[in-house]
Amino acid sequence: MHRLRTTVARLRPLTAAQTAQSLSQPRPLAVEGGLRTFQPARRLNTSVAAEPFLNGTSSNYVEEMYYAWLENPRNVHKSWDIFFRNANAGAPPGAAYQSPPPFAGTSQGLASVQALVGAQPNVEKLVEDHLAVQSLIRAYQVRGHHVTRLDSLGIMAADLKLKWSRESKQTFRCFYGLAESDLDKVFRLPTTTFIGGNESSLPLREIIRRLEMAYCQHIGVEFMFINDVEQCQWIRQKFETPGIMQFSLEEKRTLLARMIRSTRFEEFLQRKWSSEKRFGLEGCESLIPALKTIIDKSSQSGVESVIMGMPHRGRLNVLANVIRKELEQIFCQFDSKLEAADEGSGDVKYHLGMYHKRMNRVSDRLITLSLMANPSHLEAVDPVVQGKAKAEQFYCGDTEGKRVMSILLHGDAAFAGQGIVYETFHLSDLPSYTTHGTIHVVVNNQIGFTTDPRMARSSPYPTDVARVVNAPIFHVNADDPEAVMYVCNVAAEWRNTFHKDVVVDLVCYRRNGHNEMDEPMFTQPLMYKQIKKQKGVLQKFAEKVIAEGVITMQEYEEEVARYDKICEEAYARSKDEKILHIKHWLDSPWPGFFTLEGQPKSMNCPSTGISEEELGHIGNIAASVPVEDFTIHGGLSRILKGRGNMVNQRVCDWALGEYMAFGSLLKEGIHVRLSGQDVERGTFSHRHHVLHDQNVDKRICIPMNYISPDQAPYTVCNSSLSEYGVLGFELGFAMASPNALVLWEAQFGDFHNTAQCIIDQFISSGQAKWVRQNGIVLLLPHGMEGMGPEHSSARPERFLQMCNDDPDVFPKLSEDFAVRQLYDCNWIVVNCSTPANYFHVLRRQILQPFRKPLIVFTPKSLLRHPEAKSSFDDMLFSLSFTGTHFKRIIPDDGAAASGPEKVKRIIFCTGKIYYELTRERKNRGMDEAVAVVRIEQLSPFPFDLVKAETDRYLNADLVWCQEEHKNQGYYDYIKPRIRTTISRTRPVWYAGRDPAAAPATGNKQTHLMELQRLLDTAFDLEAFSGKV
Ligand SMILES: Cc1ncc(C[n+]2csc(CCOP(=O)(O)OP(=O)(O)O)c2C)c(N)n1
Ligand SMILES: [Mg+2]
């Protein structure tokens, strides 16, 4: 659909409903303390205001009448109608009022009213004209951006034959019934415009001229959807005030210098490495001054740290000219002969991150800039950046976002197409997730790879997604660097004033193909014919400022030569680099956590137990309501009482075990943050970390924050209903510091797959690609409990398939084997069967000397299983003995273990099936014949401990038993590793569900039958005889 052709339609006056809305806009603003407040009614004729009865509170009443009358004269009593008509017709004070017609409305009375109105033939026209002018002003504010000259190619409609036509003035005016003859009439300006400057009335001609200047040049402002009047006024003032967009000579010179750097950097790379992909910025060179302006302005208002996320386009340029990475470090990335100094896969140069602290010359203050490393997956980094920014704000006590802020860059196609953008926007105003305003910058080159916008989105702009959070959107023609600089200043001020998101849409073009090797003429022939004719933005801007006398031609050429020389010198230095250090591209250093060489400070993990006293203290807090006069729900009282009883008996269930882990870490100064859907109560109503007063709205209590006066704060937060966004956010939060336990819990484990990109691209492979560790914990409720195909499986097979330990190699044993194995793995996967082991594994996350992601398959039915309890003894730290710790496997400790030579079978298993197996074993009287061994740490695989078990039961056959289907669960991961452990001397048999497409049956009966069948196989000692 051709956009220009629809322009006229878009400029039509508002619908009746919209008109009513527009008229009512400046009316009641808010209900504050029950009092309605009003905008001053500048529209009310002053002579009217001079009426003697218009004083005190009655003037408010009159104003209200007046607005109602403007909407529809019938809204008010006839007497008011006559009064306003007369007043607007210019009746002198005292003369506008006429006695109302008799109540009964005699024909004589009516006639006199009609005669009165009829006697003033211009009144109606005058009112209509004023209304028309108001509507016209509003139309520019609402729709001016439709007719703004945003696109320097003139192809926003992708129809090159139709040129831009300047018909907005006529269209707008004619539409509201204003004639040529009205142009010189003077109209009062409403309070909703700032075009008057100091004037309160202007001729229509001037009104239109000023509106055109404000809304129809190179900046298109989309903001009238914002439902906060103060914010709308703020924006109007920023764009409508006459002469507001002016720059000093110095500012223009700086802008030119930045344009030179941006442009010449790409040209330099092109000259030196013409056949290398770099996803250059050509066509949107003004991105660099745009970002620098935002950073300067933000730094001036006190921001000390900026966290940025961006895609491929122009990334090297941003690294070089915004973050100021040493040029030789960038250039040497183009050298294919460089040897990698770090372990891991590394990543391509346009994905790497970076961290740099420097002096901001404009503000004269130190500022830290970091660009987050990211995968190819566009927009995936958005929530990660937000999480990291939130964490930095949290650690420096920046509760309003005054010191730390985030900037996100987007491509037009990705911004419109990727759902994560929407998910991230929805975090922007949630108390535990807000970063107090993000500045979004879209490089809107009107193309995504080979697809043009008509095929790539259904919304008029790529930025429409931002409207959901009431973010203003500033579209700007990127070929006008001054306009770009202006909107960036306003965007930074907006963020600093309202601490809400804002979008800058740089409408530009892409001079080359998607990358420098691509031929764009295959698919966009007309667009690229136009682009070839296009003068570069630097050239255009240089010509302009030289013509204005801002700089001479010679000075300009010298500036260009100066930057070219800088590049050449860095290029020469880059030749000396022999080794490529990915470490130099770290986006989140953890000072003090590693040795200077970046190694862990030790290879030990101390006991993860805690003292008896601490267990008792934390347990009592978990069982209490630590504030006065707080009424909790009766059911919860019973739960807390139950906890108290457990503490007296020195045992923990799952929830209490978790409480002990969190509470003890908090006491040790480690921040704990648990986020996810409904985590505060817990999906299964077992956690109850936030208590709600049953009598007072919003009064809550978080007992975990009452453990000790000098504890670290505990954050537990119900998230928005998003997995991709929230998991990404928590990953970013965990990135900021190693000294926090950050956990994300899925409502049910299977929902993690909507966050698959974060898991695949960041969590499992992040360290390998970006030498950056992360200790995030994923809690994934898992278990076959007859609940149907969904809500059953957290898909352990997927996580295990991505583990990097070799199934075929029995690792070299050493004293620090267990820790070293953890250090070498890409992530840790566990399925704990006891609260104590869950407690230990959470504490180990912090006490181990490095950070690794931890995937925990968590139970559902075990939360209340009477046997799934742990004694305090299993959680103790003691100076007199080595203390308790996480058990990678839990060997059989019953009759089988006492007589290992009599054991016929070892059943290896993990998780809740253990309880079903031991019940079945008991029922069958097979405690001596069958040993059941739990593998609690699935990966890295505990080769050493499994070997000890297989060595102990030499006469036993080996069975892997799982409740999941054979093509799912753990079997494919476990089997080869057990085989390697026993040097393939014995087979490893399978007892479990048959292969299936769905993770579980929807039929309870079938579920139970399948379970019984797998238990039968597990305990049938003849089941595998004769099989090979
Ligand atoms: C999630 C995802 N899907 C597909 C791609 C492949 N891809 C790389 S760049 C690109 C086009 C992006 O267009 P746009 O967002 O407009 O950025 P531009 O390249 O125009 O700057 C695509 C589809 C990707 N990187 N990520
Ligand atoms: Mg694009």
Side-chain angles (χ1 to χ4, degrees):
M1 192 183 63
H2 187 280
R3 295 208 167 98
L4 269 188
R5 224 175 280 146
T6 58
T7 301
V8 173
R10 290 194 194 136
L11 299 180
R12 282 181 196 291
L14 311 170
T15 61
Q18 287 168 318
T19 313
Q21 192 195 3
S22 85
L23 284 169
S24 58
Q25 268 261 322
R27 299 184 65 210
L29 286 179
V31 180
E32 272 176 316
L35 285 173
R36 298 212 290 173
T37 55
F38 290 84
Q39 289 274 82
R42 219 165 67 187
R43 277 182 289 182
L44 196 59
N45 190 310
T46 44
S47 58
V48 174
E51 290 288 352
F53 62 91
L54 291 182
N55 52 42
T57 48
S58 66
S59 63
N60 275 356
Y61 173 69
V62 174
E63 278 167 23
E64 206 169 3
M65 285 292 153
Y66 179 67
Y67 285 118
W69 176 77
L70 280 177
E71 280 180 49
N72 184 348
R74 281 170 203 229
N75 284 349
V76 298
H77 186 266
K78 203 76 208 167
S79 58
W80 282 114
D81 180 22
I82 296 166
F83 171 74
F84 288 131
R85 279 168 198 253
N86 289 345
N88 264 351
Y97 176 74
Q98 302 278 325
S99 300
F103 194 64
T106 61
S107 59
Q108 196 199 349
L110 202 63
S112 73
V113 171
Q114 278 159 356
L116 186 99
V117 174
Q120 298 177 35
N122 290 335
V123 173
E124 203 129 334
K125 168 89 174 97
L126 199 74
V127 173
E128 269 171 20
D129 285 355
H130 264 86
L131 280 176
V133 170
Q134 288 191 15
S135 300
L136 180 76
I137 292 170
R138 189 178 157 84
Y140 271 97
Q141 293 169 338
V142 176
R143 285 151 222 276
H145 58 90
H146 288 266
V147 286
T148 302
R149 289 175 295 152
L150 291 178
D151 173 20
S152 61
L153 297 180
I155 58 153
M156 247 180 136
D159 181 345
L160 301 179
K161 274 183 258 140
L162 277 170
K163 285 268 172 264
W164 163 260
S165 71
R166 298 285 289 137
E167 45 186 19
S168 59
K169 275 186 249 190
Q170 287 85 340
T171 320
F172 271 116
R173 212 186 61 218
C174 296
F175 216 92
Y176 293 101
L178 292 161
E180 193 71 26
S181 56
D182 293 323
L183 283 175
D184 293 314
K185 283 192 192 152
V186 174
F187 289 87
R188 278 201 161 271
L189 296 168
T191 52
T192 50
T193 187
F194 291 82
I195 52 171
N198 295 326
E199 318 277 342
S200 57
S201 334
L202 286 174
L204 178 58
R205 191 185 301 282
E206 184 60 12
I207 291 176
I208 294 176
R209 192 190 71 78
R210 292 190 187 187
L211 288 167
E212 290 275 321
M213 288 305 292
Y215 291 114
C216 302
Q217 303 304 309
H218 286 158
I219 299 172
V221 195
E222 245 191 302
F223 69 106
M224 288 291 281
F225 53 84
I226 295 176
N227 46 31
D228 181 303
V229 180
E230 186 203 343
Q231 292 171 8
C232 284
Q233 285 292 75
W234 190 92
I235 293 173
R236 288 179 186 128
Q237 191 248 324
K238 290 290 170 200
F239 289 96
E240 293 181 355
T241 306
I244 197 161
M245 205 177 108
Q246 272 169 10
F247 304 101
S248 66
L249 276 186
E250 195 49 41
E251 283 169 330
K252 288 191 183 196
R253 283 203 198 104
T254 306
L255 181 56
L256 181 69
R258 290 173 171 179
M259 285 301 300
I260 289 172
R261 282 175 169 259
S262 171
T263 311
R264 300 301 290 187
F265 176 79
E266 298 292 354
E267 286 179 12
F268 184 82
L269 295 184
Q270 184 59 27
R271 270 203 308 283
K272 297 289 183 203
W273 297 279
S274 59
S275 58
E276 276 275 338
K277 279 191 206 170
R278 67 188 150 84
F279 298 103
L281 199 50
E282 291 95 330
C284 194
E285 288 90 341
S286 45
L287 174 68
I288 299 302
L291 292 175
K292 291 186 83 88
T293 304
I294 291 170
I295 291 166
D296 291 347
K297 191 87 189 170
S298 304
S299 169
Q300 279 173 321
S301 50
V303 169
E304 295 159 10
S305 173
V306 179
I307 326 271
M308 295 166 59
M310 73 173 296
H312 50 285
R313 182 78 50 216
R315 189 174 179 115
L316 297 177
N317 208 328
V318 168
L319 281 170
N321 288 317
V322 178
I323 307 209
R324 289 296 180 91
K325 176 93 187 154
E326 302 84 353
L327 288 176
E328 52 268 39
Q329 286 293 326
I330 297 175
F331 296 158
C332 75
Q333 290 268 329
F334 286 88
D335 186 345
S336 57
K337 292 187 289 298
L338 276 191
E339 216 179 283
D342 312 281
E343 287 173 11
S345 63
D347 205 344
V348 291
K349 50 191 164 292
Y350 37 83
H351 288 166
L352 296 174
M354 152 94 215
Y355 166 95
H356 194 42
K357 194 170 192 171
R358 58 190 290 251
M359 190 58 103
N360 182 285
R361 291 213 196 106
V362 175
S363 65
D364 238 357
R365 296 176 185 202
L366 274 177
I367 188 156
T368 302
L369 303 172
S370 55
L371 176 65
M372 305 287 279
N374 59 257
S376 236
H377 295 56
L378 293 167
E379 308 289 349
V381 80
D382 298 0
V384 185
V385 168
Q386 300 298 60
K388 170 140 188 247
K390 179 76 184 174
E392 287 206 5
Q393 289 173 351
F394 174 81
Y395 292 121
C396 70
D398 179 18
T399 51
E400 292 170 77
K402 292 195 164 154
R403 294 167 63 191
V404 180
M405 70 176 276
S406 54
I407 300 179
L408 287 176
L409 276 77
H410 314 268
D412 53 324
F415 199 47
Q418 291 291 307
I420 187 61
V421 173
Y422 182 87
E423 291 189 29
T424 308
F425 268 120
H426 267 288
L427 296 177
S428 67
D429 223 5
L430 305 180
S432 297
Y433 303 85
T434 179
T435 53
H436 306 283
T438 299
I439 301 184
H440 299 263
V441 181
V442 183
V443 174
N444 180 359
N445 53 19
Q446 309 180 67
I447 192 163
F449 208 151
T450 67
T451 304
D452 80 54
R454 289 170 301 179
M455 304 300 147
R457 62 173 192 261
S458 298
S459 59
Y461 293 107
T463 51
D464 289 71
V465 59
R467 296 169 67 118
V468 294
V469 293
N470 276 292
I473 301 162
F474 305 141
H475 307 281
V476 57
N477 185 328
D479 254 17
D480 180 347
E482 289 176 12
V484 169
M485 181 161 137
Y486 185 72
V487 297
C488 288
N489 263 321
V490 176
E493 268 185 63
W494 163 273
R495 197 244 165 219
N496 189 41
T497 308
F498 297 107
H499 289 283
K500 286 173 67 76
D501 283 27
V502 52
V503 179
V504 174
D505 177 25
L506 297 175
V507 184
C508 58
Y509 57 91
R510 189 186 72 193
R511 185 167 287 283
N512 301 316
H514 175 56
N515 61 57
E516 290 63 36
M517 307 303 108
D518 261 352
E519 173 52 84
M521 292 288 279
F522 287 149
T523 50
Q524 270 73 26
L526 299 189
M527 183 185 203
Y528 273 81
K529 273 184 203 156
Q530 181 72 26
I531 289 174
K532 276 182 192 153
K533 286 191 237 153
Q534 200 76 8
K535 232 188 226 183
V537 57
L538 173 62
Q539 192 186 343
K540 280 204 269 187
F541 186 56
E543 283 169 7
K544 176 175 180 281
V545 288
I546 290 169
E548 284 174 4
V550 173
I551 191 171
T552 64
M553 184 57 140
Q554 191 192 342
E555 283 169 327
Y556 167 66
E557 283 167 355
E558 281 168 9
E559 185 72 27
V560 171
R562 200 163 25 246
Y563 186 65
D564 285 356
K565 188 160 167 262
I566 291 173
C567 289
E568 281 297 347
E569 286 170 1
Y571 176 67
R573 283 196 301 277
S574 76
K575 298 266 171 214
D576 301 334
E577 298 281 337
K578 296 280 179 283
I579 292 180
L580 189 61
H581 291 277
I582 306 289
K583 262 185 250 157
H584 293 166
W585 296 79
L586 255 188
D587 54 21
S588 314
W590 291 341
F593 186 67
F594 299 111
T595 64
L596 286 179
E597 290 74 43
Q599 296 301 313
K601 287 187 171 158
S602 79
M603 268 296 155
N604 303 318
C605 181
S607 162
T608 41
I610 58 177
S611 70
E612 179 85 35
E613 194 193 347
E614 274 180 302
L615 286 166
H617 175 66
I618 298 167
N620 285 330
I621 294 279
S624 68
V625 183
V627 288
E628 301 280 305
D629 301 328
F630 195 98
T631 315
I632 58 168
H633 189 270
L636 192 53
S637 299
R638 281 191 293 280
I639 292 174
L640 298 193
K641 197 160 166 235
R643 281 184 189 167
N645 290 340
M646 279 192 282
V647 176
N648 291 339
Q649 291 158 23
R650 299 184 66 254
V651 292
C652 283
D653 66 359
W654 192 270
L656 195 51
E658 182 182 83
Y659 219 105
M660 299 293 188
F662 289 5
S664 55
L665 289 171
L666 290 166
K667 203 159 167 282
E668 289 156 30
I670 298 294
H671 172 51
V672 178
R673 178 182 164 97
L674 171 63
S675 146
Q677 291 149 31
D678 308 295
V679 293
E680 295 176 5
R681 187 201 74 174
T683 298
F684 312 106
S685 204
H686 67 294
R687 185 173 283 128
H688 297 288
H689 282 188
V690 179
L691 312 180
H692 293 259
D693 193 316
Q694 298 293 301
N695 302 324
V696 186
D697 186 32
K698 292 194 197 131
R699 184 161 182 234
I700 57 164
C701 167
I702 303 176
M704 195 79 84
N705 276 323
Y706 290 80
I707 288 174
S708 140
D710 54 354
Q711 70 172 85
Y714 175 54
T715 305
V716 56
C717 39
N718 287 349
S719 74
S720 70
L721 211 168
S722 143
E723 286 81 25
Y724 192 173
V726 177
L727 178 57
F729 188 96
E730 300 312 332
L731 181 89
F733 200 103
M735 224 167 252
S737 164
N739 301 318
L741 183 70
V742 182
L743 309 98
W744 173 76
E745 182 173 72
Q747 184 117 75
F748 285 92
D750 45 0
F751 294 123
H752 81 255
N753 60 9
T754 66
Q756 200 66 50
C757 176
I758 298 294
I759 294 168
D760 292 353
Q761 264 51 47
F762 290 88
I763 302 181
S764 87
S765 56
Q767 186 182 349
K769 294 193 286 193
W770 308 313
V771 289
R772 167 179 85 183
Q773 299 188 3
N774 195 299
I776 183 137
V777 180
L778 273 61
L779 303 179
L780 307 175
H782 170 82
M784 312 284 119
E785 290 167 2
M787 290 177 75
E790 270 67 65
H791 302 133
S792 290
S793 176
R795 299 290 197 171
E797 66 278 9
R798 302 239 171 103
F799 291 93
L800 293 172
Q801 190 226 349
M802 283 190 275
C803 295
N804 67 356
D805 59 343
D806 192 333
D808 303 323
V809 177
F810 191 92
K812 225 165 86 197
L813 295 179
S814 61
E815 232 170 57
D816 56 7
F817 176 75
V819 182
R820 199 154 282 284
Q821 226 193 355
L822 292 175
Y823 180 68
D824 290 338
C825 74
N826 59 330
W827 58 14
I828 304 163
V829 183
V830 302
N831 189 353
C832 303
S833 62
T834 68
N837 233 14
Y838 177 48
F839 160 87
H840 283 295
V841 82
L842 292 179
R843 287 184 47 80
R844 189 180 75 173
Q845 267 310 88
I846 295 299
L847 294 182
Q848 67 198 1
F850 43 79
R851 294 291 172 261
K852 293 283 164 174
L854 171 68
I855 317 296
V856 189
F857 301 115
T858 57
K860 294 173 286 174
S861 59
L862 287 196
L863 297 173
R864 296 185 174 81
H865 195 291
E867 286 170 43
K869 291 211 170 109
S870 297
S871 158
F872 280 10
D873 291 342
D874 294 334
M875 303 161 83
L876 281 178
F877 172 80
S878 156
L879 288 176
S880 54
F881 71 109
T882 51
T884 54
H885 57 267
F886 174 70
K887 294 180 177 159
R888 290 179 289 144
I889 75 166
I890 304 184
D892 199 314
D893 60 355
S898 324
E901 64 294 339
K902 286 186 255 156
V903 170
K904 301 268 184 328
R905 171 166 295 172
I906 314 175
I907 300 180
F908 287 103
C909 66
T910 191
K912 106 170 197 303
I913 192 75
Y914 166 77
Y915 294 95
E916 271 135 6
L917 284 167
T918 46
R919 183 174 42 90
E920 187 73 15
R921 180 174 65 174
K922 195 165 188 198
N923 290 345
R924 290 175 183 247
M926 294 176 77
D927 285 7
E928 287 191 348
V930 178
V932 182
V933 177
R934 287 169 270 180
I935 300 188
E936 304 271 304
Q937 178 174 296
L938 296 152
S939 186
F941 190 71
F943 285 98
D944 52 340
L945 301 181
V946 171
K947 183 161 186 328
E949 295 304 305
T950 52
D951 286 352
R952 183 188 318 196
Y953 304 106
L954 284 171
N955 304 323
D957 67 2
L958 309 179
V959 172
W960 172 256
C961 180
Q962 65 177 32
E963 53 177 356
E964 295 81 1
H965 288 282
K966 193 172 186 180
N967 57 328
Q968 299 161 26
Y970 325 87
Y971 177 58
D972 285 339
Y973 174 85
I974 296 283
K975 182 176 172 177
R977 286 169 176 79
I978 299 185
R979 294 269 294 151
T980 298
T981 308
I982 54 173
S983 307
R984 296 175 184 78
T985 49
R986 282 183 269 178
V988 176
W989 302 110
Y990 173 75
R993 288 183 163 89
D994 293 338
T1001 172
N1003 181 300
K1004 190 94 186 183
Q1005 203 52 37
T1006 313
H1007 165 75
L1008 292 172
M1009 211 178 65
E1010 287 173 352
L1011 177 62
Q1012 194 50 55
R1013 201 182 304 149
L1014 77 88
L1015 292 173
D1016 289 346
T1017 310
F1019 289 100
D1020 176 1
L1021 297 179
E1022 301 305 317
F1024 308 108
S1025 60
K1027 294 196 175 165
V1028 281

